[in-house]
Amino acid sequence: MSLENQTVAADLLLLEALKVSPQSSVAAFLLLLLIYIFILVSNVGLVVLIFCSRSLQQPMYLLLTNMCINDVFGATVTVPHILGDLLAVSSQRYIRYVDCAVQAFCVHLHASVSHTVLMIMAFDRYVAVCNPLRYAAVMTNRTVVKLSAAAWTSAFVLVAILVGLSVRLTRCRWVVFNPFCDNASLFKLSCQSVLINNIYGLGYTVVLLGSSISSITLTYLRIAVVCLSRKNHALNRRALQTCASHLTVYVIMMVSAFIIVVLHRFPQLSEHRKVASVLGHITLPVLNAVIYGLQIKEVRQKIKAAINNLKINAKRFNNVDVNA
């Protein structure tokens, strides 16, 4: 084997794809493709709607665009690759090591930003409910930009160090036991000591989840206390409705992550873990779009208005054709 071929072979990794029968691969491909299209259209549509509508250009909705962008980013990192695998003729799926490292970075960045964005959204709800008179002064456009930048930057730095520690290791294996690459997949390719990786990985998890859980819990406990002490039932109902959407997304995210972590402890359930990993990257983006797009009154009204405008324009177009 030539030196060039040896280099190419060393740079290729074998992905352990989902076990889907040939009869089911087309149906699975079409279903996943439709879900991916829905994620793109719904989340991008929400972002466009928020930025184009003056009435929706409020801190809560502007912060929501971070989640929509992150959902599209997270789904795009994994779903197209899995779609290609479902239609692949060969049973073996390969990926270049550099592409695997980039995908692992993006997968963890998506997960980390999900937590940091929900944290800044919780802060927004805290100010809105607990200090309504100071809300306009505190949650300015400049504050929204700063919070958004902090959410993405902090996640970027944490994940860059996490993946960087894995990339530095020399490789002695070439099989990734996952349908897509993540940090665990990277350092499991090495025969070196991964003690530093484990220590930092534990610290990364404690910092991210600890700050996320503690801030969300304390914020909503404080909101609950304020709502209970008020006698304005209409205002309390609206505040709790908005917070319920936020909490629902957070609980679903934590439960799905917990399921994947538990399944990692049972090697005999590797297929269930792979399916759960894929579902984790498509379920939350779909639910986020549905929950925030249909549960929030202002967004729902804008969607209905946009659909009505499309119907009116379609009727006008048909009338023009008939008259012609």
Side-chain angles (χ1 to χ4, degrees):
M1 183 183 290
S2 66
L3 180 60
E4 183 180 353
N5 289 337
Q6 288 179 349
T7 303
V8 172
D11 191 48
L12 288 178
L13 303 175
L14 179 64
L15 280 173
E16 193 176 74
L18 293 171
K19 289 184 180 179
V20 181
S21 64
Q23 296 80 8
S24 305
S25 59
V26 175
F29 173 85
L30 291 175
L31 177 62
L32 190 57
L33 178 62
L34 289 174
I35 293 173
Y36 181 56
I37 292 173
F38 176 80
I39 291 171
L40 293 181
V41 173
S42 58
N43 284 283
V44 172
L46 274 174
V47 173
V48 172
L49 189 63
I50 289 169
F51 279 108
C52 291
S53 177
R54 187 177 295 274
S55 63
L56 292 179
Q57 290 179 12
Q58 303 171 28
M60 181 178 70
Y61 299 118
L62 293 174
L63 291 175
L64 174 61
T65 59
N66 286 284
M67 183 178 292
C68 295
I69 293 169
N70 187 48
D71 285 341
V72 172
F73 170 68
T76 303
V77 166
T78 55
V79 175
H81 186 85
I82 296 170
L83 287 172
D85 289 345
L86 289 172
L87 292 184
V89 177
S90 173
S91 60
Q92 294 182 328
R93 277 74 167 173
Y94 293 97
I95 185 172
R96 292 174 61 242
Y97 179 76
V98 174
D99 296 334
C100 184
V102 171
Q103 188 180 53
F105 173 82
C106 293
V107 164
H108 286 277
L109 179 61
H110 162 67
S112 300
V113 170
S114 296
H115 284 276
T116 55
V117 166
L118 285 171
M119 287 165 63
I120 63 175
M121 289 178 71
F123 173 75
D124 170 75
R125 291 299 84 206
Y126 171 79
V127 177
V129 176
C130 300
N131 295 286
L133 297 179
R134 297 188 61 234
Y135 182 74
V138 174
M139 294 303 298
T140 61
N141 289 338
R142 187 174 181 179
T143 303
V144 170
V145 171
K146 285 183 178 180
L147 288 173
S148 301
W152 285 87
T153 303
S154 58
F156 183 92
V157 172
L158 287 172
V159 175
I161 298 173
L162 181 75
V163 176
L165 288 173
S166 298
V167 172
R168 71 184 173 84
L169 301 170
T170 56
R171 305 190 304 276
C172 63
R173 303 182 183 92
W174 61 291
V175 180
V176 176
F177 298 101
N178 215 30
F180 53 84
C181 295
D182 56 14
N183 184 61
S185 304
L186 290 179
F187 69 71
K188 285 180 180 178
L189 297 173
S190 177
C191 294
Q192 290 181 258
S193 171
V194 292
L195 179 61
I196 296 177
N197 298 69
N198 289 329
I199 292 173
Y200 180 80
L202 181 61
Y204 160 84
T205 304
V206 170
V207 169
L208 186 64
L209 292 185
S211 57
S212 172
I213 293 172
S214 59
S215 63
I216 296 289
T217 302
L218 293 174
T219 297
Y220 283 99
L221 282 176
R222 176 60 179 163
I223 289 174
V225 170
V226 170
C227 288
L228 289 174
S229 62
R230 284 178 180 171
K231 296 181 180 180
N232 191 330
H233 298 294
L235 190 62
N236 288 346
R237 191 183 306 111
R238 184 178 178 184
L240 291 174
Q241 183 181 0
T242 305
C243 295
S245 300
H246 187 184
L247 273 177
T248 301
V249 170
Y250 186 77
V251 170
I252 293 172
M253 181 181 70
M254 293 299 293
V255 170
S256 61
F258 178 75
I259 290 172
I260 294 172
V261 170
V262 170
L263 290 175
H264 264 289
R265 307 300 176 189
F266 300 93
Q268 67 273 22
L269 298 176
S270 60
E271 284 304 310
H272 296 78
R273 174 181 54 79
K274 287 188 284 186
V275 172
S277 298
V278 174
L279 289 176
H281 279 79
I282 61 175
T283 304
L284 275 175
V286 169
L287 289 177
N288 285 343
V290 172
I291 289 172
Y292 287 105
L294 299 180
Q295 295 297 321
I296 298 176
K297 183 179 178 181
E298 289 84 351
V299 176
R300 187 170 65 249
Q301 288 175 342
K302 292 295 179 181
I303 292 173
K304 287 181 179 179
I307 293 173
N308 289 332
N309 288 334
L310 287 175
K311 289 180 179 179
I312 292 171
N313 291 332
K315 287 180 180 179
R316 288 176 179 174
F317 182 77
N318 291 333
N319 291 334
V320 170
D321 286 345
V322 170
N323 294 331

